[in-house]
Structures are given as structure tokens and as C-alpha cells.
Amino acid sequence: MYYGLASKLNVLELSQLVCDAIGHGSNGLAVDLLVETCAAETLLGSAKDTTPYRAGAGVAQVDLGTFDWLRDKYKDSEIAKRIKSKLGLDISYVQYNELDFSPLACLIFARLRYWTVPAVIPATRAERAEYWKTHYNSSEGKGTPEEYMSRCVSSGVNRL
């Protein structure tokens, strides 16, 4: 395991804590989306990125520009206060390289990225794969919705 994880189950446990602090989305599917994102990006922490910081950092492979934008956007917000109160992390002090060994910090920033999206988190995994590609991986990212789906299966998301 990489990125400060002891097991794949840590991704699910930490995603639940992060969503308890930030929000589960209007239909309660944010935990599923975070876990699946980590599956798509790093096979739930079992695949190490061989291009340090080019493809992102941490178990959810958060990009540097996205990290900087989100930290600046939310550092003085109510969400930041909830994160500090519930999770003990002040996001204004988090440094980008910390995402590589703090899955909690990485998942916070991944959830904040999705928090900025006004569209409701889709109900099915196939729809979430498209949502991830549009709102997280972007047109510049190499990932595809098909890879998202297959990586969820191969990393064992359904067994968590």
C-alpha cells in the first residue's frame, strides 16, 4: 500500500469521515464517488504513481493547480472550520507534498474538488465515471470512463 494507507479499507473509512465533515451530497453518494475516484486514480492506493506530481499527488491524485485553487478558495470558509473541528486539520497549512502521505488530507481536497460542482452526484457507477471524467480527470487527463469502471472492479471496490 502507498500514500500512507494501511489497507484499501482505509480509503472507505477516511472517505466517510471526510464526507461527515464536508457533506455527503444531496443524494448521499459522495463516499461512493471518493472511493471510486481513488480506485480509478491509484487502485485504492495499491498502485504508486511513477511520475511524481505530474499526474497529481496522493491516493486521489489531486493536481497542484487544483490543490492551490481549493486551498485558497476554502481556507477561511465554514467548510474549513468544520474540517478543523471534526478532523483536526487546518487546510490553510496543508502543503501539496503532504497529500502523498496523508490520505486524509488528499481525500479532503478531492471532496472539496467535487464540492465545487453544482451537478448532483449521479446514482450509478457508469454515470459517476462520466462525472469523474468531466469534473475531476478533465479532458487533459488520460483516464477514461471505461478505465474508471474497470479499475473499480479490479481494485475490489465492491468488496469494501
Side-chain angles (χ1 to χ4, degrees), residues 16-17 37 54 62 74 91 100 115 140:
Q16 289 171 330
L17 291 173
T37 295
R54 250 186 72 222
V62 175
Y74 289 110
I91 64 170
D100 270 339
W115 187 259
E140 295 175 21

PDB file of all heavy atoms in Angstrom, residues 16-17 37 54 62 74 91 100 115 140:
ATOM      1  N   GLN A  16     -15.609   8.287   4.467  1.00  0.00           N
ATOM      2  CA  GLN A  16     -16.797   8.500   5.304  1.00  0.00           C
ATOM      3  C   GLN A  16     -16.572   9.655   6.277  1.00  0.00           C
ATOM      4  O   GLN A  16     -17.448  10.510   6.448  1.00  0.00           O
ATOM      5  CB  GLN A  16     -17.161   7.213   6.039  1.00  0.00           C
ATOM      6  CG  GLN A  16     -17.718   6.166   5.111  1.00  0.00           C
ATOM      7  CD  GLN A  16     -17.901   4.799   5.767  1.00  0.00           C
ATOM      8  OE1 GLN A  16     -17.182   4.415   6.680  1.00  0.00           O
ATOM      9  NE2 GLN A  16     -18.871   4.057   5.258  1.00  0.00           N
ATOM     10  N   LEU A  17     -15.404   9.694   6.909  1.00  0.00           N
ATOM     11  CA  LEU A  17     -15.091  10.787   7.838  1.00  0.00           C
ATOM     12  C   LEU A  17     -15.073  12.139   7.129  1.00  0.00           C
ATOM     13  O   LEU A  17     -15.606  13.129   7.638  1.00  0.00           O
ATOM     14  CB  LEU A  17     -13.742  10.533   8.517  1.00  0.00           C
ATOM     15  CG  LEU A  17     -13.676   9.387   9.511  1.00  0.00           C
ATOM     16  CD1 LEU A  17     -12.235   9.167   9.957  1.00  0.00           C
ATOM     17  CD2 LEU A  17     -14.584   9.644  10.703  1.00  0.00           C
ATOM     18  N   THR A  37     -13.138   7.229  -7.139  1.00  0.00           N
ATOM     19  CA  THR A  37     -12.081   8.105  -7.672  1.00  0.00           C
ATOM     20  C   THR A  37     -10.711   7.559  -7.295  1.00  0.00           C
ATOM     21  O   THR A  37      -9.806   7.494  -8.137  1.00  0.00           O
ATOM     22  CB  THR A  37     -12.264   9.544  -7.159  1.00  0.00           C
ATOM     23  OG1 THR A  37     -13.491  10.070  -7.673  1.00  0.00           O
ATOM     24  CG2 THR A  37     -11.108  10.443  -7.570  1.00  0.00           C
ATOM     25  N   ARG A  54       3.441  14.831 -11.576  1.00  0.00           N
ATOM     26  CA  ARG A  54       2.956  15.133 -12.923  1.00  0.00           C
ATOM     27  C   ARG A  54       1.489  14.765 -13.078  1.00  0.00           C
ATOM     28  O   ARG A  54       0.729  15.471 -13.710  1.00  0.00           O
ATOM     29  CB  ARG A  54       3.794  14.383 -13.975  1.00  0.00           C
ATOM     30  CG  ARG A  54       4.665  15.338 -14.763  1.00  0.00           C
ATOM     31  CD  ARG A  54       5.418  14.701 -15.902  1.00  0.00           C
ATOM     32  NE  ARG A  54       4.533  14.352 -17.002  1.00  0.00           N
ATOM     33  CZ  ARG A  54       4.609  13.226 -17.682  1.00  0.00           C
ATOM     34  NH1 ARG A  54       5.510  12.324 -17.387  1.00  0.00           N
ATOM     35  NH2 ARG A  54       3.785  12.989 -18.674  1.00  0.00           N
ATOM     36  N   VAL A  62      -4.588  14.389  -6.697  1.00  0.00           N
ATOM     37  CA  VAL A  62      -5.021  15.786  -6.800  1.00  0.00           C
ATOM     38  C   VAL A  62      -3.934  16.586  -7.512  1.00  0.00           C
ATOM     39  O   VAL A  62      -2.755  16.500  -7.157  1.00  0.00           O
ATOM     40  CB  VAL A  62      -5.295  16.375  -5.389  1.00  0.00           C
ATOM     41  CG1 VAL A  62      -5.632  17.849  -5.463  1.00  0.00           C
ATOM     42  CG2 VAL A  62      -6.405  15.583  -4.697  1.00  0.00           C
ATOM     43  N   TYR A  74     -11.177  27.845  -0.034  1.00  0.00           N
ATOM     44  CA  TYR A  74     -11.874  27.392   1.174  1.00  0.00           C
ATOM     45  C   TYR A  74     -11.164  27.666   2.495  1.00  0.00           C
ATOM     46  O   TYR A  74     -11.750  27.415   3.556  1.00  0.00           O
ATOM     47  CB  TYR A  74     -12.169  25.891   1.058  1.00  0.00           C
ATOM     48  CG  TYR A  74     -13.235  25.587   0.036  1.00  0.00           C
ATOM     49  CD1 TYR A  74     -12.916  24.953  -1.158  1.00  0.00           C
ATOM     50  CD2 TYR A  74     -14.556  25.950   0.255  1.00  0.00           C
ATOM     51  CE1 TYR A  74     -13.894  24.672  -2.102  1.00  0.00           C
ATOM     52  CE2 TYR A  74     -15.540  25.686  -0.683  1.00  0.00           C
ATOM     53  CZ  TYR A  74     -15.201  25.045  -1.854  1.00  0.00           C
ATOM     54  OH  TYR A  74     -16.164  24.789  -2.791  1.00  0.00           O
ATOM     55  N   ILE A  91      -6.780  23.318   6.758  1.00  0.00           N
ATOM     56  CA  ILE A  91      -6.377  23.194   5.353  1.00  0.00           C
ATOM     57  C   ILE A  91      -5.491  24.335   4.878  1.00  0.00           C
ATOM     58  O   ILE A  91      -4.769  24.189   3.895  1.00  0.00           O
ATOM     59  CB  ILE A  91      -7.585  23.011   4.409  1.00  0.00           C
ATOM     60  CG1 ILE A  91      -8.500  24.228   4.407  1.00  0.00           C
ATOM     61  CG2 ILE A  91      -8.337  21.728   4.735  1.00  0.00           C
ATOM     62  CD1 ILE A  91      -9.567  24.199   3.320  1.00  0.00           C
ATOM     63  N   ASP A 100       0.743  13.123  -0.514  1.00  0.00           N
ATOM     64  CA  ASP A 100       1.327  11.823  -0.838  1.00  0.00           C
ATOM     65  C   ASP A 100       1.404  10.877   0.356  1.00  0.00           C
ATOM     66  O   ASP A 100       1.499   9.669   0.173  1.00  0.00           O
ATOM     67  CB  ASP A 100       2.724  11.984  -1.442  1.00  0.00           C
ATOM     68  CG  ASP A 100       2.682  12.100  -2.952  1.00  0.00           C
ATOM     69  OD1 ASP A 100       1.687  11.676  -3.559  1.00  0.00           O
ATOM     70  OD2 ASP A 100       3.653  12.615  -3.517  1.00  0.00           O
ATOM     71  N   TRP A 115     -17.027  19.166  -4.406  1.00  0.00           N
ATOM     72  CA  TRP A 115     -17.956  20.103  -3.751  1.00  0.00           C
ATOM     73  C   TRP A 115     -18.234  21.313  -4.622  1.00  0.00           C
ATOM     74  O   TRP A 115     -19.307  21.914  -4.564  1.00  0.00           O
ATOM     75  CB  TRP A 115     -17.369  20.528  -2.402  1.00  0.00           C
ATOM     76  CG  TRP A 115     -18.281  21.351  -1.558  1.00  0.00           C
ATOM     77  CD1 TRP A 115     -18.252  22.709  -1.400  1.00  0.00           C
ATOM     78  CD2 TRP A 115     -19.362  20.889  -0.743  1.00  0.00           C
ATOM     79  NE1 TRP A 115     -19.235  23.121  -0.538  1.00  0.00           N
ATOM     80  CE2 TRP A 115     -19.938  22.013  -0.119  1.00  0.00           C
ATOM     81  CE3 TRP A 115     -19.900  19.632  -0.481  1.00  0.00           C
ATOM     82  CZ2 TRP A 115     -21.023  21.923   0.739  1.00  0.00           C
ATOM     83  CZ3 TRP A 115     -20.969  19.546   0.381  1.00  0.00           C
ATOM     84  CH2 TRP A 115     -21.519  20.677   0.974  1.00  0.00           C
ATOM     85  N   GLU A 140      -7.914  16.896 -20.277  1.00  0.00           N
ATOM     86  CA  GLU A 140      -6.455  16.766 -20.363  1.00  0.00           C
ATOM     87  C   GLU A 140      -5.951  15.480 -19.719  1.00  0.00           C
ATOM     88  O   GLU A 140      -4.857  15.032 -20.004  1.00  0.00           O
ATOM     89  CB  GLU A 140      -5.786  17.973 -19.716  1.00  0.00           C
ATOM     90  CG  GLU A 140      -6.062  19.274 -20.443  1.00  0.00           C
ATOM     91  CD  GLU A 140      -5.482  20.471 -19.727  1.00  0.00           C
ATOM     92  OE1 GLU A 140      -4.555  20.311 -18.913  1.00  0.00           O
ATOM     93  OE2 GLU A 140      -5.964  21.581 -19.989  1.00  0.00           O
TER      94      GLU A 140
END
